[in-house]
Amino acid sequence: MTMKTTSSPRLCSSIFLVLALFDLIFLLYYKNILQFQSKVNSSIIMLRVSPHHTVNRSFCTFQPLSPQDALEERLILDSIAWPKTPLLPSPISLEQTTDPAHSTFIILPGRKWGQWHVGDQLEVMIQTFDFQGRPKKSGGDFLIASLQNRKLEAGVAGKVVDHLNGSYSAIFSLLWEGDAQVEVTLVHASEAVTVLDRLTREQPDRIYFKSLFRSGSLSETTICNVCLPPTRQPLCNYTDLGTGDPWFCYKPKNLSCDTRINHVKGGFKQNLKAKEEKLFQSGVNMKVSIQATGPSIATVLSRKEGQLKVKTSSGTSAPSGYYYQGVWRALVGNTLSQFESSAITQCLKGKVIHMYGDSTIRQWFEFLNAALPGLKEFDLHSQRQAGPRMSLDYENNILVTYRCHGPPIRFGLVPTRELRYIANEIDDLIGGPKTVIVFGIWSHLGTFPIEIYIRRLQSIRRAVVQLLDRAPGTLVIIRTANVKALTLYETITNSDWYSLQRDKVLRAMFKGLKVHLIDAWEMTLAHHLPHNLHPLPPIIKNMINSLLSYICPQKHG
């Protein structure tokens, strides 16, 4: 639950130890930190910027991090830094921006007289041009690439390298014998990335939320968010005691903060500058294919005797897996098995699966409900988007639950008592070899400063580490972000560029831990089906097989 009015014994002990060791520091910082510490649900603060808080991204404020967490945050921000993008002319004109229709790619010859074998790498050189047909001289475009063979239902994602001069390389692992069709797509021109970055810095509240406050016959609705513009109106501070995740609402004029009863998405403020929407046109300069100069298909011969297989762990361009005959074949992690209904039941028998996250995690919950005839959902009379939801197969002792992550969450009406942070939920679990934790969190945090996401994952990671320490047999599986179809609205609120940044952060944060990733990014990018926020059934089936292969790994071969 979001605001706890009492602290757990473990939390009290931790606070006492910190105060005992850092008493002098606490005294120096106390006055400022107190502004952001939530005591009870009814705490009220006036939003202001303190010199002792990390101030970033306009009017968003952050609580101080420990030196270790602060260092990690700086290193992650450096590692995901996007190449410098150009300043925009005023007024906006497409003439000097990247044009996928003029841009081209060429397949570079193989090392041995233009021949490629399974296990080789294929390299493609991409040159971008503007709408006047002039070569671009700077980088920063967002490009994606894949190899496809529709007849074989084969596909693999490529790695794009920005040379910062208007040219790019796409590198592919060759994993099947036969034709490999190169597909290169401009997701966003570098000039569009300039706009997306500015929006997050200047307008982190462009998606806003509302809460209803009610006491007896009195009711008021106010605006809520992670980041609220400073006004003379006092704030209700709902920052979570356990995780430190910030959340604020403007205080109602005639009601106290503890009368808040629900949460709902309020709306969206676009606020693009004049003609900036021209940079986000489907079919013109957003998610548009780039054509080849010369052949776009490479013919791949069988693996040569003695040739090494594609590296699966250390190679910078090695994919996590690929499709062949419509089936995802993992190159990292467990060998995938194919699970039909009876096999899924047998795999999950006697297990508890807790799922936390957004609608892309709910999609997995609903897939299992549909796939298993013995799994019946129990009606908790909750909001179906947000949960909580619970399904039970009594005969086989299978329990599957789903709950959305804490705010920001762009769902319909959610009672405030059902707003839970993933870290707190994990802290409340006993865990063990019969327990599986599945979570994914990315889509609803795209419009907010990346620091918000980093700190959210830091709290989740602490909870996961503590869970694995007290219950080492617990299985933890994380779903990554995925590519999706883009409209102007989807781009401004949830662009693949925002998702890519968060995907990189998530992978960095959980690297080296005893957790498993389902690489939804590559599984959607490598598939020939259209991109979708909620991947289409053949992709979901492969994701579920990946999930189940971690729960029930093959014992042979």
Side-chain angles (χ1 to χ4, degrees):
M1 179 176 168
T2 302
M3 284 295 297
K4 297 182 180 179
T5 56
T6 59
S7 301
S8 67
R10 182 173 59 201
L11 179 60
C12 291
S13 299
S14 299
I15 293 174
F16 179 80
L17 179 61
V18 171
L19 292 177
L21 293 175
F22 299 99
D23 186 51
L24 179 59
I25 297 174
F26 176 79
L27 290 174
L28 292 173
Y29 284 81
Y30 176 79
K31 184 178 293 185
N32 291 298
I33 294 175
L34 185 61
Q35 298 272 345
F36 290 89
Q37 286 181 325
S38 298
K39 297 176 181 178
V40 293
N41 278 353
S42 59
S43 62
I44 306 171
I45 66 170
M46 295 297 294
L47 186 62
R48 69 182 185 87
V49 175
S50 164
H52 295 293
H53 286 113
T54 303
V55 180
N56 206 338
R57 313 295 189 180
S58 187
F59 47 80
C60 284
T61 58
F62 305 104
Q63 293 189 31
L65 291 174
S66 69
Q68 182 178 356
D69 286 347
L71 174 61
E72 179 184 45
E73 182 179 87
R74 288 196 299 272
L75 292 174
I76 288 176
L77 290 174
D78 288 343
S79 71
I80 67 170
W82 197 258
K84 186 177 180 180
T85 56
L87 297 175
L88 299 180
S90 182
I92 292 288
S93 170
L94 292 185
E95 288 185 353
Q96 297 179 5
T97 67
T98 307
D99 178 15
H102 279 97
S103 302
T104 61
F105 72 83
I106 185 171
I107 299 176
L108 299 182
R111 284 179 292 181
K112 296 184 178 179
W113 304 285
Q115 289 187 339
W116 295 274
H117 293 263
V118 173
D120 285 341
Q121 286 192 333
L122 177 73
E123 185 172 357
V124 168
M125 184 60 67
I126 306 161
Q127 178 61 56
T128 56
F129 293 82
D130 65 22
F131 277 81
Q132 292 184 323
R134 298 172 300 193
K136 295 289 291 289
K137 301 298 184 182
S138 60
D141 296 306
F142 180 18
L143 300 164
I144 55 176
S146 68
L147 288 182
Q148 300 289 335
N149 184 315
R150 301 297 176 85
K151 290 183 179 180
L152 296 176
E153 293 186 83
V156 66
K159 177 182 176 61
V160 176
V161 179
D162 188 342
H163 299 299
L164 308 179
N165 60 5
S167 68
Y168 302 79
S169 295
I171 302 170
F172 305 93
S173 297
L174 299 178
L175 297 161
W176 64 83
E177 184 179 348
D179 288 345
Q181 170 84 44
V182 177
E183 297 186 0
V184 178
T185 301
L186 175 72
V187 181
H188 294 306
S190 57
E191 294 81 8
V193 172
T194 298
V195 175
L196 294 175
D197 181 60
R198 192 199 75 237
L199 287 174
T200 298
R201 285 186 289 106
E202 297 179 358
Q203 302 171 27
D205 66 328
R206 61 189 181 279
I207 288 182
Y208 61 94
F209 305 85
K210 293 182 179 181
S211 276
L212 175 66
F213 296 76
R214 178 183 294 157
S215 179
S217 60
L218 292 178
S219 64
E220 295 182 53
T221 299
T222 71
I223 301 297
C224 305
N225 221 324
V226 175
C227 308
L228 284 176
T231 69
R232 294 184 179 275
Q233 189 174 355
L235 300 181
C236 295
N237 183 359
Y238 299 105
T239 299
D240 188 81
L241 280 174
T243 68
D245 288 300
W247 194 255
F248 305 97
C249 295
Y250 289 119
K251 183 189 177 301
K253 293 180 180 179
N254 300 307
L255 292 171
S256 64
C257 293
D258 57 7
T259 60
R260 176 174 173 245
I261 64 171
N262 64 31
H263 165 95
V264 67
K265 178 185 172 184
F268 165 66
K269 298 177 289 186
Q270 184 166 297
N271 289 343
L272 287 173
K273 294 181 181 179
K275 299 185 178 181
E276 282 184 340
E277 69 277 0
K278 289 185 176 182
L279 296 170
F280 304 100
Q281 299 181 72
S282 297
V284 176
N285 53 11
M286 183 171 70
K287 281 234 169 164
V288 178
S289 296
I290 291 175
Q291 300 304 310
T293 298
S296 62
I297 297 176
T299 300
V300 185
L301 306 177
S302 60
R303 186 186 301 274
K304 296 179 69 175
E305 186 175 348
Q307 186 171 6
L308 296 176
K309 291 186 177 181
V310 174
K311 293 180 180 179
T312 59
S313 57
S314 60
T316 57
S317 60
S320 64
Y322 67 103
Y323 289 102
Y324 189 76
Q325 295 179 341
V327 174
W328 181 254
R329 298 188 175 190
L331 296 171
V332 178
N334 288 348
T335 300
L336 260 66
S337 301
Q338 301 303 302
F339 292 82
E340 300 305 325
S341 178
S342 59
I344 297 175
T345 299
Q346 190 61 34
C347 174
L348 299 183
K349 190 171 185 177
K351 293 184 173 61
V352 177
I353 299 92
H354 295 294
M355 296 185 171
Y356 308 107
D358 54 31
S359 58
T360 62
I361 288 291
R362 187 181 71 238
Q363 194 177 13
W364 289 7
F365 174 84
E366 292 173 346
F367 180 96
L368 291 177
N369 277 349
L372 300 182
L375 190 66
K376 305 298 183 183
E377 184 167 1
F378 186 83
D379 187 1
L380 298 175
H381 303 289
S382 58
Q383 206 260 16
R384 294 189 67 79
Q385 278 188 313
R389 296 171 67 178
M390 178 176 70
S391 295
L392 177 67
D393 181 336
Y394 183 80
E395 181 180 348
N396 292 289
N397 195 24
I398 300 170
L399 176 65
V400 184
T401 70
Y402 159 76
R403 181 187 288 277
C404 73
H405 62 71
I409 189 82
R410 301 195 299 264
F411 286 163
L413 209 64
V414 183
T416 54
R417 294 186 178 277
E418 297 296 355
L419 293 173
R420 311 285 181 88
Y421 290 97
I422 293 175
N424 291 339
E425 291 295 294
I426 293 175
D427 280 340
D428 289 340
L429 297 176
I430 297 174
K434 298 294 185 181
T435 302
V436 180
I437 310 299
V438 181
F439 71 85
I441 176 170
W442 56 281
S443 180
H444 294 251
L445 283 87
T447 59
F448 300 96
I450 195 70
E451 291 88 347
I452 295 290
Y453 187 67
I454 292 173
R455 291 162 187 237
R456 179 68 62 93
L457 291 189
Q458 284 175 332
S459 69
I460 295 174
R461 185 180 59 188
R462 280 191 289 269
V464 167
V465 169
Q466 291 169 1
L467 173 64
L468 295 177
D469 185 54
R470 67 178 180 267
T474 310
L475 185 63
V476 178
I477 298 171
I478 307 172
R479 184 201 192 279
T480 74
N482 60 261
V483 293
K484 55 191 169 296
L486 294 179
T487 61
L488 177 61
Y489 169 78
E490 281 290 336
T491 299
I492 302 304
T493 61
N494 203 17
S495 166
D496 283 349
W497 185 76
Y498 293 136
S499 301
L500 177 62
Q501 305 306 301
R502 280 139 193 83
D503 186 66
K504 291 178 179 178
V505 170
L506 183 141
R507 293 170 193 266
M509 294 280 288
F510 287 91
K511 185 177 181 180
L513 294 185
K514 191 181 176 183
V515 300
H516 304 286
L517 293 185
I518 305 294
D519 197 337
W521 187 269
E522 287 199 15
M523 294 181 80
T524 49
L525 179 55
H527 207 284
H528 67 83
L529 285 174
H531 297 169
N532 196 307
L533 173 62
H534 301 109
L536 298 179
I539 301 175
I540 293 298
K541 171 66 174 173
N542 278 287
M543 290 180 178
I544 294 297
N545 283 335
S546 298
L547 171 70
L548 296 170
S549 294
Y550 282 119
I551 299 173
C552 302
Q554 284 186 3
K555 296 182 180 179
H556 304 287

